[in-house]
Amino acid sequence: MKIGFIGAGKVGFSMGRYFMERDVHVSGYYSRNLNSSKEAAIFTKTRYYERLEDLVRESDTLFLTVPDGDIDKVYSKVSQLDIRGKCLVHCSGALSSDVFSDVSKKGARGCSIHPICAVSDKLTAYQNLSKAYFTIEGKDVEDMVALIAGCGNRVELISAGQKVKYHASSVFASNLVVGLYDIATELLQECGLSEAFSKEALLPLFMGNAINVANKGGVEALTGPVERADKGTVKKHLEVLQGETREIYRLLSRQLLQVAQKKNAAREYLELDMILEDEKGIGNEKHSYYIS
């Protein structure tokens, strides 16, 4: 297998270096920005190409490591070349191989390969790929599965119709957590604490929880007022929170309630469930008997 990269950004840098360190042959890089392809070639100890057709000719597998919105445009250019017998790959989490709409008519095939891993830096992110789980989507991808498995990664197949929901899962586990941490630090600042203190004070709690989730799983790692069925504390939280922050707290607490019920099957959560179902606010007539 000879892998050529079209696009020399963070994903291209990372995947190329990762493959090279595992003795997978990488032809090199082509990019609209020649300096980017040169930098990637130096980083991976491969070569750069000034012409797209040269990279395509010398590679049997082509990774289109460009932004999601550019994949179809780049494929349109690549498909005008001789790609017979080649495999075209993109690394989008949300898009499927359907973006390579007429690839079979060109005598080629297409698939998507996605690492469940944050690729945040082009020079260091490759180091995290060794621990990443991968998904592959497409037809006739046995060789791609063998490629990823041969690098030492866990890999499973996913259908084209599930890619968007699959990607949303990663957003919940990664990006949305950033939003929650931001809310937490803002609440501390509203309590009169400094910005620096607020951002740093929560780190041990955040990291400790992440480690517990990783080691024990979400069910066993869950602690806090919802897990304890502490309806008094939850009501007080809802009373002091406002607007979207209150609604985020309420909806996520309802999700935690399901986790808590798995952990403590014998514990009574009905009253807490009714409090969290109260969208109009604490103290309306329907639930007034909960107010002490």
Side-chain angles (χ1 to χ4, degrees), residues 7-267:
K10 292 182 291 186
V11 175
F13 266 66
S14 301
M15 292 293 290
R17 179 67 174 264
Y18 188 66
F19 285 146
M20 284 296 295
E21 291 194 348
R22 282 150 185 80
D23 296 323
V24 177
H25 184 82
V26 175
S27 306
Y29 291 82
Y30 169 83
S31 173
R32 289 181 302 177
N33 186 323
L34 184 59
N35 289 331
S36 294
S37 57
K38 287 181 177 179
E39 187 180 357
I42 293 172
F43 183 66
T44 57
K45 299 179 181 179
T46 58
R47 60 173 295 191
Y48 67 91
Y49 292 79
E50 296 187 25
R51 302 198 315 159
L52 175 62
E53 49 265 44
D54 292 336
L55 174 70
V56 171
R57 184 180 63 253
E58 297 184 15
S59 308
D60 53 42
T61 303
L62 298 165
F63 272 70
L64 278 62
T65 48
V66 297
D68 287 14
D70 293 335
I71 293 175
D72 59 343
K73 300 174 186 177
V74 174
Y75 171 64
S76 179
K77 294 180 180 180
V78 174
S79 65
Q80 296 175 24
L81 303 173
D82 184 5
I83 57 173
R84 289 174 296 177
K86 300 183 187 295
C87 180
L88 278 71
V89 183
H90 70 69
C91 297
S92 168
L95 298 178
S96 73
S97 59
D98 292 342
V99 70
F100 304 130
S101 56
D102 60 348
V103 68
S104 61
K105 295 180 181 179
K106 304 289 184 178
R109 58 194 172 96
C111 70
S112 64
I113 296 179
H114 182 253
I116 306 177
C117 176
V119 182
S120 57
D121 180 84
K122 67 181 182 181
L123 300 180
T124 61
Y126 74 94
Q127 299 170 354
N128 299 325
L129 289 175
S130 62
K131 299 178 181 179
Y133 286 55
F134 281 72
T135 57
I136 296 179
E137 172 275 323
K139 297 179 180 179
D140 303 320
V141 293
E142 291 81 6
D143 57 340
M144 295 296 108
V145 172
L147 168 67
I148 301 302
C151 289
N153 298 88
R154 287 281 301 275
V155 56
E156 289 197 6
L157 300 178
I158 189 170
S159 66
Q162 296 298 329
K163 283 299 295 286
V164 175
K165 183 180 290 187
Y166 156 81
H167 190 249
S169 169
S170 296
V171 170
F172 266 99
S174 179
N175 312 132
L176 293 183
V177 176
V178 175
L180 293 176
Y181 197 86
D182 189 61
I183 289 174
T185 57
E186 287 182 355
L187 289 173
L188 285 188
Q189 291 176 68
E190 290 175 10
C191 295
L193 301 176
S194 69
E195 180 179 357
F197 182 93
S198 299
K199 290 181 177 180
E200 296 175 11
L202 293 169
L203 282 175
L205 179 64
F206 176 80
M207 295 301 296
N209 186 61
I211 292 171
N212 283 335
V213 171
N215 292 337
K216 302 177 182 179
V219 173
E220 291 304 315
L222 180 62
T223 61
V226 172
E227 189 271 337
R228 298 192 300 269
D230 185 353
K231 57 183 182 293
T233 297
V234 171
K235 284 197 301 181
K236 290 177 181 177
H237 287 169
L238 290 168
E239 287 168 355
V240 300
L241 298 175
Q242 298 178 350
E244 291 182 349
T245 298
R246 181 186 187 279
E247 186 64 0
I248 290 170
Y249 178 96
R250 187 184 70 82
L251 292 174
L252 285 178
S253 292
R254 294 206 73 192
Q255 180 65 33
L256 288 183
L257 192 58
Q258 298 182 38
V259 180
Q261 289 172 328
K262 294 177 183 178
K263 183 176 182 179
N264 307 305
R267 186 168 293 171

